[in-house]
Amino acid sequence: PQLTSDYQQNIGYIMARVKMPVIAGFLIGKMNYAQEHDIILNISESSYLPKLAILRREVTNIIKILGNIIDNAVDALSDSNNYQKKLMYCYDMMMRGRHLLLLLRIMVVV
């Protein structure tokens, strides 16, 4: 019931903002990872990733970067004594010519 409904809402929320299924699935996994550490990982409403025509290795690099940053934030917050542990994940991705720009912010919400 409620847990299943929340999970389905999270999937719908991410899929509406991330149009690349591999990255969307990865982010869903990271939300679960954060939750296992009693941390809420939210994706900002302003974040949007369109379907980009990029190479597989570029997608792999994006996932490595995102994973490293999110893991570091979760690890750092896991060690804190904050009562409410919440991360806000905001990003913008855009193509500039042949370059993919990734603007990423992870904020601790207290």
Side-chain angles (χ1 to χ4, degrees), residues 18-27 49-67 93 95 100 102:
V18 180
K19 299 301 182 185
M20 297 182 72
V22 172
I23 295 177
F26 172 78
L27 289 173
L49 175 61
K51 186 162 178 67
L52 300 171
I54 58 177
L55 299 174
R56 182 179 298 176
R57 77 168 178 267
E58 293 167 327
V59 173
T60 300
N61 288 337
I62 291 169
I63 288 173
K64 286 179 184 177
I65 292 166
L66 294 177
M93 291 186 189
M95 293 297 292
L100 175 67
L102 171 64

Side-chain angles (χ1 to χ4, degrees), residues 15-92:
M15 296 303 288
R17 284 164 181 71
V18 180
K19 299 301 182 185
M20 297 182 72
V22 172
I23 295 177
F26 172 78
L27 289 173
I28 291 167
K30 286 300 176 184
M31 289 179 84
N32 291 332
Y33 171 74
Q35 188 174 21
E36 289 171 4
H37 290 83
D38 297 319
I39 296 169
I40 299 167
L41 175 61
N42 288 330
I43 296 179
S44 163
E45 289 182 14
S46 65
S47 297
Y48 179 75
L49 175 61
K51 186 162 178 67
L52 300 171
I54 58 177
L55 299 174
R56 182 179 298 176
R57 77 168 178 267
E58 293 167 327
V59 173
T60 300
N61 288 337
I62 291 169
I63 288 173
K64 286 179 184 177
I65 292 166
L66 294 177
N68 200 4
I69 292 170
I70 292 170
D71 289 349
N72 288 344
V74 168
D75 290 345
L77 199 52
S78 292
D79 294 336
S80 78
N81 293 324
N82 290 345
Y83 174 71
Q84 184 176 7
K85 298 178 180 182
K86 192 177 215 179
L87 294 171
M88 177 62 73
Y89 172 75
C90 306
Y91 66 88
D92 291 302

